Amino acid sequence: MPNDRITQHHLRPDTTHATRWSLLFVIAFGLLLGFAFQGTRGLWSPDEGRYTVAALQMLDTGNYLAPAYSPDEVNFSKPPTTYWVIAASMKVFGRNTWAVRIPYALAFLLTLLVLHAMGRRLMPEKPWLPSVVYGCAAAPFLAGNIVSTDAFLTLCEALAMLGFLCAAFDENERGRKRYVMLMWLGWGLAFLTKGPPGLMPLLAVIPFIVRRDGWRGLGRFFPLGGIVLFLLVGLSWYLVVVLRYAGLLDYFLHQEVYNRVFTAAHKRNAGWFGWIKIYLPVLAIGLLPWWPAMGRVIRRWASAERWSAKGSPNVELFLVLWFLVPFVVFCLVQSRLPLYMLPLFVPLALLLALELRDRFDLRQRKQQLLLAAWVVVLLAAKGIAAYDWHSVNDNRQAAAELRAATPVERYQAIVFVENTAVGYTIEEATPWGLRLYLGKVIYGIPWLAPHGGEALCHALHNEGRVLVVIDPDLGPKAIEPALAQCPGKVTELGTWRKDVLKLVEL
């Protein structure tokens, strides 16, 4: 049946032996791609170290409410889900890079399983195909090895949209109500993972339902129980921290919402050209090896006749809206990073699977060999990054160099004094991931910010025997007046990379 003729009949789940086989195949496929070389590469600055150090701070202090870099530096730029998951993994598997990245392999696998559940309803004869398309696409595969919020956000949004797809096309009223609750659970988890961006697919859900069922049709998808579930899961943490920390509501609304949407304050590829520079390459390279199929999808949906066609909206139209509406919003928002596109690869995978369902058959020897060859290419890329790609941002490599330059085990903490002035967040130059490899508390002090000297003295007072690493662009003389105000003995230790090292003992 053509792709634009998907009906409710074709959204019913299949329970055959072939479906059970396909589920086992998807699990094995996800385990291979997700866990191979997963913890071999060291943490890279800036983001991987920031998320890890916040999880370590939670483990060391027992404070799981307020994410923080160190005893003096809270970090409310993201909700706590990512930190909680990493902390739980390190609690179980130990403080190592594998433990940090195991949750991302699991998130990758679970996303494949959610796509398999969607595939059972979209193409019951090949429920494994959406999972294969998503797992083999370069962007989702590579993102599964990167410590960030986006892999968890993708999983939560996919769970919510699974609930919506099942509810929107389920003929059974009782089943529909359960799926609606699943949808709102997914939205709550997405909001607790990344805040307002987690609700982006709702911008596609609402117009689709209104177009199909009218405004009254929305009531079935916004029940009181679902809204309450969303509030309990998604907003409880926000309510508690806003009541406990003065000024935090203004920070959330002004810095994390208004500035990200309308200004270039976060210095993340703002301006009219930013989305072209960041998002188009991610989509182009990230869709490898599915370019031919994507070309056919674009040609079909680029025609005005497709959009003006009359009749009840179908699933494929919804998938297009699921990708297109959030994509336009992301392009307009002035804070842009490559991984923001990751959740949009879920609807793209489903669209591509619909396009490929009559062309892609794993029973054919040639296609088996092509799939196996591409999996080898993906694993080789992951292995090369793990073993042979030496980056200045590799925190494990930096820790080894710091050990060679000074007896770092003798110090209680390491303080990085940066040549920056930041009002609401720490500049992302501090190698926070050193805490995982050295077992030392890391402080990051933006020296040109208000109270930079006071923050340095406070860190020294907290720890007693501290290694101070000074940004070479700042120079050691800049902090000498502040050190003179902090009682203690200062010893020059030389340099590490180009940074100046000082030992301060109180």
Side-chain angles (χ1 to χ4, degrees):
M1 181 168 288
N3 292 336
D4 59 346
R5 300 291 297 171
I6 302 169
T7 64
Q8 291 185 16
H9 173 75
H10 292 87
L11 288 166
R12 293 173 182 168
D14 181 30
T15 58
T16 63
H17 174 73
T19 299
R20 291 192 291 271
W21 173 89
S22 73
L23 181 61
L24 294 175
F25 168 75
V26 168
I27 292 173
F29 180 74
L31 289 173
L32 174 63
L33 290 180
F35 283 88
F37 306 112
Q38 183 67 357
T40 310
R41 176 176 61 83
L43 295 178
W44 285 1
S45 294
D47 288 343
E48 293 194 319
R50 288 193 301 114
Y51 291 115
T52 304
V53 78
L56 287 169
Q57 184 66 15
M58 288 180 173
L59 289 173
D60 289 340
T61 64
N63 182 359
Y64 292 87
L65 181 66
Y69 293 115
S70 69
D72 290 344
E73 302 155 294
V74 294
N75 171 29
F76 285 103
S77 62
K78 294 291 186 296
T81 299
T82 301
Y83 313 121
W84 288 346
V85 172
I86 296 174
S89 181
M90 287 193 289
K91 185 74 171 179
V92 174
F93 299 107
R95 300 190 178 196
N96 55 74
T97 314
W98 277 94
V100 172
R101 290 208 179 94
I102 282 174
Y104 292 88
L106 291 174
F108 178 79
L109 173 60
L110 291 174
T111 303
L112 295 186
L113 293 177
V114 172
L115 278 163
H116 183 273
M118 293 180 179
R120 290 181 61 191
R121 287 152 177 84
L122 292 176
M123 53 193 77
E125 73 283 3
K126 294 181 180 178
W128 47 266
L129 187 51
S131 303
V132 169
V133 171
Y134 181 87
C136 284
F141 170 76
L142 295 174
N145 189 241
I146 298 175
V147 180
S148 72
T149 61
D150 301 281
F152 302 134
L153 176 66
T154 300
L155 172 60
C156 295
E157 287 188 5
L159 185 67
M161 296 307 269
L162 171 62
F164 171 74
L165 283 174
C166 294
F169 297 94
D170 196 308
E171 298 174 353
N172 183 284
E173 185 66 28
R174 289 185 61 187
R176 181 185 299 122
K177 291 180 179 179
R178 291 196 301 268
Y179 290 132
V180 168
M181 295 301 288
L182 175 64
M183 179 184 74
W184 284 106
L185 173 63
W187 294 136
L189 293 172
F191 201 84
L192 189 62
T193 300
K194 205 167 183 178
L199 303 181
M200 201 71 73
L202 266 177
L203 300 178
V205 166
I206 293 174
F208 179 80
I209 292 299
V210 171
R211 172 70 175 82
R212 194 188 70 169
D213 303 330
W215 287 102
R216 291 187 177 182
L218 284 177
R220 293 185 304 164
F221 297 90
F222 287 79
L224 178 60
I227 301 300
V228 170
L229 179 62
F230 168 77
L231 295 175
L232 289 175
V233 174
L235 292 183
S236 296
W237 175 82
Y238 289 93
L239 178 62
V240 171
V241 296
V242 164
L243 293 176
R244 183 166 296 190
Y245 294 89
L248 193 54
L249 180 61
D250 177 72
Y251 167 78
F252 282 144
L253 296 178
H254 184 250
Q255 300 294 353
E256 294 301 321
V257 177
Y258 178 83
N259 277 350
R260 286 184 184 273
V261 174
F262 298 108
T263 76
H266 289 260
K267 299 179 181 180
R268 292 181 172 177
N269 307 292
W272 70 271
F273 187 75
W275 69 273
I276 299 175
K277 179 178 66 174
I278 297 300
Y279 295 152
L280 292 190
V282 170
L283 292 173
I285 299 174
L287 281 172
L288 280 170
W290 308 115
W291 286 354
M294 194 68 236
R296 293 192 295 269
V297 172
I298 292 173
R299 285 194 299 271
R300 188 167 66 253
W301 283 95
S303 64
E305 291 80 7
R306 171 68 67 171
W307 290 96
S308 61
K310 296 182 179 180
S312 178
N314 57 40
V315 172
E316 193 177 13
L317 173 61
F318 171 70
L319 296 177
V320 172
L321 292 175
W322 179 4
F323 167 78
L324 196 59
V325 175
F327 177 72
V328 171
V329 174
F330 279 127
C331 291
L332 296 175
V333 168
Q334 295 301 301
S335 178
R336 306 176 180 116
L337 289 176
L339 284 177
Y340 292 176
M341 289 289 98
L342 182 61
L344 300 187
F345 279 84
V346 175
L348 287 177
L350 293 166
L351 279 169
L352 288 167
L354 290 174
E355 175 64 32
L356 290 166
R357 64 179 175 175
D358 295 329
R359 299 170 181 262
F360 195 89
D361 190 348
L362 282 181
R363 291 173 296 183
Q364 297 182 10
R365 184 68 171 174
K366 180 180 178 180
Q367 296 194 356
Q368 291 176 0
L369 293 175
L370 288 174
L371 178 62
W374 181 249
V375 168
V376 170
V377 170
L378 292 176
L379 294 179
K382 196 173 181 182
I384 291 172
Y387 287 105
D388 295 328
W389 194 339
H390 301 292
S391 171
V392 69
N393 294 322
D394 189 323
N395 288 178
R396 182 165 55 196
Q397 180 179 329
E401 294 176 1
L402 191 56
R403 278 197 177 99
T406 180
V408 69
E409 287 76 12
R410 298 168 54 192
Y411 315 133
Q412 277 70 51
I414 304 175
V415 178
F416 286 84
V417 182
E418 307 289 353
N419 185 33
T420 56
V422 185
Y424 58 88
T425 186
I426 299 299
E427 176 66 23
E428 297 179 346
T430 302
W432 300 106
L434 290 180
R435 183 166 180 174
L436 180 70
Y437 301 111
L438 298 177
K440 308 294 180 182
V441 175
I442 307 295
Y443 290 82
I445 297 177
W447 188 251
L448 303 181
H451 312 298
E454 180 181 336
L456 175 60
C457 287
H458 199 266
L460 299 178
H461 176 75
N462 284 347
E463 305 298 340
R465 184 180 177 89
V466 174
L467 178 66
V468 180
V469 184
I470 306 168
D471 191 327
D473 293 330
L474 185 65
K477 291 186 178 180
I479 73 168
E480 287 179 358
L483 288 177
Q485 300 298 318
C486 306
K489 176 184 177 183
V490 180
T491 305
E492 193 79 28
L493 295 179
T495 60
W496 165 68
R497 296 182 172 177
K498 293 183 179 180
D499 299 307
V500 177
L501 301 177
K502 286 181 177 291
L503 169 64
V504 179
E505 297 178 87
L506 298 185

